[in-house]
Amino acid sequence: YEIGSEEVYRKELFDDFIDNPAFNMRDENNGLHVVWYVIKGNCKKFTDFDKEILDEIQKRKKIVCVVISQIDCLDPEELKELLAAIPVDYKVFRTSIKKEAIEYRDDDGKGYTDWKELCEWTYEKIPEANKLLFAGSFSPGTFRCKFFHPEAFMSDTYHRT
């Protein structure tokens, strides 16, 4: 959303999407299961409005997480400040599309991005009937997530070609 257009964003998000009957669950396999609320890392802030939106999503009984995109635009101190501003009740994942950021590992083997963790967390939250569709929705070789489903398309050692 753009600063100053919060009410337009709220209407589009809730009226046109989350509360729209076309996206409401008709049964446990159809509908909106998980919301990834994305905050651009290059904006370097989590606002009171972001908190209001997240709270509204949760009030509607939707599973939600916070995804910080473009974390490669943040220095370590900025990332620390942004993470500290996000309430602890929300699961947070760090992402980037830059290959260097995705492949980076520190001395302990910890990655800079949480793509794998985001995929696995989402996979665990969606209904069983949707897991194969979710796993197969990624482009070949995009993310190598370990899904614990015997027919899943991806694992740590294998991905679709």
Side-chain angles (χ1 to χ4, degrees):
Y1 67 91
E2 299 291 325
I3 300 297
S5 65
E6 291 87 351
E7 290 314 308
V8 171
Y9 176 76
R10 184 187 307 272
K11 181 197 176 312
E12 289 175 352
L13 178 63
F14 292 106
D15 295 348
D16 299 343
F17 185 59
I18 292 179
D19 295 336
N20 185 327
F23 297 105
N24 284 327
M25 291 191 197
R26 295 174 296 282
D27 61 51
E28 78 168 37
N29 296 321
N30 294 301
L32 181 63
H33 302 291
V34 175
V35 176
W36 291 2
Y37 186 79
V38 180
I39 298 172
K40 291 182 183 177
N42 64 348
C43 291
K44 302 178 183 180
K45 62 185 168 197
F46 180 85
T47 67
D48 291 339
F49 182 71
D50 292 318
K51 172 84 168 85
E52 288 174 31
I53 293 295
L54 286 166
D55 290 346
E56 279 297 314
I57 293 169
Q58 279 195 324
K59 282 181 194 171
R60 286 165 166 81
K61 307 289 188 221
K62 303 297 182 192
I63 299 169
V64 63
C65 68
V66 176
V67 177
I68 303 171
S69 68
Q70 303 172 349
I71 62 162
D72 47 274
C73 295
L74 300 166
D75 65 38
E77 189 58 35
E78 292 168 330
L79 178 58
K80 184 179 175 181
E81 288 173 17
L82 181 57
L83 290 169
I86 300 169
V88 295
D89 7 341
Y90 295 104
K91 186 76 175 155
V92 178
F93 299 96
R94 303 162 302 160
T95 65
S96 171
I97 60 168
K98 292 198 174 174
K99 184 176 181 180
E100 309 81 52
I102 294 170
E103 293 177 350
Y104 173 81
R105 297 288 175 268
D106 66 16
D107 293 339
D108 297 324
K110 173 102 174 89
Y112 187 60
T113 63
D114 301 317
W115 279 116
K116 180 178 184 238
E117 293 82 357
L118 173 60
C119 293
E120 291 177 353
W121 179 85
T122 303
Y123 182 83
E124 292 302 316
K125 301 295 181 191
I126 60 178
E128 194 65 36
N130 297 94
K131 291 184 180 198
L132 188 59
L133 293 171
F134 177 74
S137 67
F138 296 100
S139 299
T142 305
F143 306 114
R144 294 173 57 178
C145 300
K146 183 176 183 180
F147 295 116
F148 302 103
H149 189 288
E151 297 175 16
F153 288 118
M154 292 180 269
S155 73
D156 281 338
T157 57
Y158 173 80
H159 62 272
R160 293 187 302 161
T161 56

